[in-house]
Amino acid sequence: MSKYWNKKINEAEPYVAGEQPKPGQKVIKLNTNENPFPPSPMARAVLRSFDISELRLYPDTNATEFIEAVAEVEGVKPTQVFAGNGSDEILALCFQTFFEKDSNTDLPVLTPEFSYSFYPVFESFYDIRSKKIPLREGLRLEAEDYVGVPNCGIAIANPNAPTSRTIGLEDIEKILKGNPDSVVIIDEAYIEFAKPYFTAVSLINDYPNLCVVRTCSKSYSLAGLRVGYAIASEELIEGLKRARDSFNSYPTDRLAQRIAAASVLDVNYHKKCLEEIIATRDYTSEELRKLGFDLPDSSANFIFAKPCEGLDAETLYKNLRAKGILVRYFKTAGINDRLRISIGTREEMEAFIAAVSEEVTNAKNS
Ligand SMILES: *Cc1c(COP(=O)(O)O)cnc(C)c1O
């Protein structure tokens, strides 16, 4: 609390990110869903040849080089793409642009009960009512639960975080058709890890109320660069530009635009990293199941696992931490019996499995 802060800041409940170790600290970091592989070699080439004197000049507001790269790879028009300073910023702009703060109707934004923990932060910061829709058995999201419920908008992560589960395109269409007057955000931060791959981008020409949000942070190994993007109808993209230019008209810098464009265009490297992470995810899931853990099939670069009988999630989290392995534990009731484990390299996951096996053995002997 501070007398110098306004009411809103005094009352804010900011997002708490996963722990970042100090530089030089040796840990196996499986707690914030970063990519274990380096960015594309094309990104390094951009950095090497970058002319520092370019930084005298303001960047291109629309990040044209980057949005053209995205448009080419995703098969959409550049006017259907919007770039921002990480997808968190895109989501913040979406909440401000599409979701109503209307004291007369007072309609809520619908989000899954367990989902990306930034959504409730935005809702309270922008004074938008929220309604959490419970997940079904096995952390499954049921599309019908989002139809016939009065709302001012919908935000769903697909794959959902932290559950790692997806809904298919038919379900997304059901939600879009059932809510023609609301914008439906499909946050695809992890969709590239889905096997088989699919994307709601394929629906944007049919549904003007669909806003797909993507990021370079996870699948492109660029969490430190801060570049995210939205793909949607021109009508929605225009709205986001109005919001951006009322707040910060240069959200992505010159260097970030170049590096992100080169990374997105390096389709083969992207694919190679994805395949390796998917294979390592499947290995990790299988090993954990052999140890008696319960987890849904993951479509993301993380898994959401409930430890075997006799081992509770919080104890395992603490014991792994003591061994220098960081995973994510949420205290939230309903999911506090699980751990979210990001997929690292094969070597890291073998070390993780070895450490978990030890904990299982210790628990059984105690
Ligand atoms: C990581 C993540 C984001 C945010 O990514 P940025 O680094 O801000 O681009 C958005 N949504 C979900 C569901 C995420 O897990």
Side-chain angles (χ1 to χ4, degrees):
M1 293 279 280
S2 164
K3 67 175 179 181
Y4 298 120
W5 303 345
N6 64 21
K7 185 165 177 286
K8 182 168 173 161
I9 297 300
N10 269 314
E11 288 174 358
E13 286 182 50
Y15 175 74
V16 183
E19 156 180 22
Q20 289 292 347
K22 295 175 198 76
Q25 198 180 341
K26 252 191 103 58
V27 294
I28 296 182
K29 195 172 177 309
L30 309 175
N31 67 337
T32 52
N33 299 342
E34 287 138 333
N35 196 309
F37 298 113
S40 155
M42 297 303 167
R44 184 180 293 270
V46 167
L47 204 50
R48 286 227 171 92
S49 65
F50 187 76
D51 176 5
I52 194 84
S53 69
E54 256 196 55
L55 293 182
R56 287 186 308 110
L57 306 171
Y58 280 105
D60 172 9
T61 302
N62 286 328
T64 306
E65 182 184 344
F66 171 68
I67 64 172
E68 282 178 351
V70 169
E72 184 183 323
V73 170
E74 301 296 335
V76 298
K77 293 189 246 170
T79 46
Q80 295 172 316
V81 186
F82 176 85
N85 191 245
S87 61
D88 287 338
E89 186 194 63
I90 305 259
L91 290 166
L93 291 173
C94 285
F95 274 65
Q96 293 174 81
T97 304
F98 305 130
F99 298 164
E100 200 58 72
K101 172 190 169 183
D102 183 335
S103 49
N104 297 321
T105 53
D106 213 18
L107 294 171
V109 177
L110 311 184
T111 55
E113 179 181 13
F114 303 117
S115 193
Y116 187 37
S117 44
F118 230 128
Y119 304 153
V121 173
F122 291 142
E123 285 157 358
S124 79
F125 201 60
Y126 301 128
D127 287 319
I128 305 163
R129 265 193 65 207
S130 77
K131 186 179 172 76
K132 291 196 158 75
I133 307 292
L135 295 173
R136 301 285 190 100
E137 184 75 30
L139 304 170
R140 192 176 62 81
L141 192 156
E142 172 55 59
E144 307 230 329
D145 297 345
Y146 293 77
V147 176
V149 184
N151 66 76
C152 70
I154 298 174
I156 291 173
N158 197 46
N160 194 15
T163 70
S164 79
R165 297 194 59 153
T166 48
I167 52 170
L169 291 182
E170 329 72 61
D171 283 335
I172 294 173
E173 285 202 77
K174 203 181 282 176
I175 296 169
L176 288 162
K177 277 191 192 135
N179 296 278
D181 298 329
S182 298
V183 170
V184 178
I185 295 175
I186 300 292
D187 180 352
E188 292 193 335
Y190 302 102
I191 198 68
E192 293 97 332
F193 300 100
K195 198 181 177 185
Y197 173 71
F198 69 97
T199 170
V201 169
S202 60
L203 303 174
I204 61 160
N205 291 320
D206 297 327
Y207 298 94
N209 59 329
L210 167 63
C211 185
V212 181
V213 176
R214 291 277 196 88
T215 178
C216 291
S217 296
K218 314 290 171 38
S219 76
Y220 291 102
S221 309
L222 293 171
L225 194 71
R226 311 308 302 133
V227 178
Y229 51 104
I231 305 180
S233 62
E234 288 172 358
E235 188 178 350
L236 297 193
I237 297 298
E238 275 306 310
L240 288 173
K241 287 179 180 169
R242 288 172 71 98
R244 174 195 68 198
D245 295 341
S246 307
F247 172 66
N248 173 13
S249 48
Y250 302 111
T252 55
D253 63 75
R254 281 180 173 265
L255 193 52
Q257 292 181 16
R258 284 276 175 77
I259 291 176
S263 303
V264 165
L265 291 175
D266 192 356
V267 177
N268 290 332
Y269 180 79
H270 186 228
K271 201 168 151 219
K272 199 178 116 229
C273 293
L274 290 174
E275 277 168 8
E276 212 158 317
I277 291 167
I278 290 167
T280 306
R281 172 185 76 204
D282 295 347
Y283 154 78
T284 309
S285 306
E286 196 180 320
E287 292 300 313
L288 285 180
R289 284 185 181 126
K290 282 189 211 159
L291 291 169
F293 283 50
D294 177 53
L295 56 148
D297 285 333
S298 169
S299 298
N301 68 337
F302 59 86
I303 51 184
F304 199 46
K306 183 172 166 173
C308 56
E309 282 279 317
L311 190 58
D312 78 83
E314 190 169 14
T315 309
L316 180 58
Y317 157 75
K318 285 183 179 154
N319 292 352
L320 288 172
R321 196 170 181 284
K323 290 180 173 168
I325 299 176
L326 301 182
V327 299
R328 193 86 187 259
Y329 170 69
F330 299 96
K331 278 195 157 48
T332 320
I335 52 170
N336 58 2
D337 57 347
R338 290 173 178 267
L339 295 179
R340 193 193 70 188
I341 302 141
S342 310
I343 303 301
T345 61
R346 173 77 186 210
E347 295 68 37
E348 287 174 326
M349 299 323 284
E350 283 173 2
F352 165 79
I353 291 293
V356 172
S357 301
E358 243 176 61
E359 291 303 317
V360 172
T361 309
N362 291 345
K364 280 191 179 141
N365 295 338
S366 67

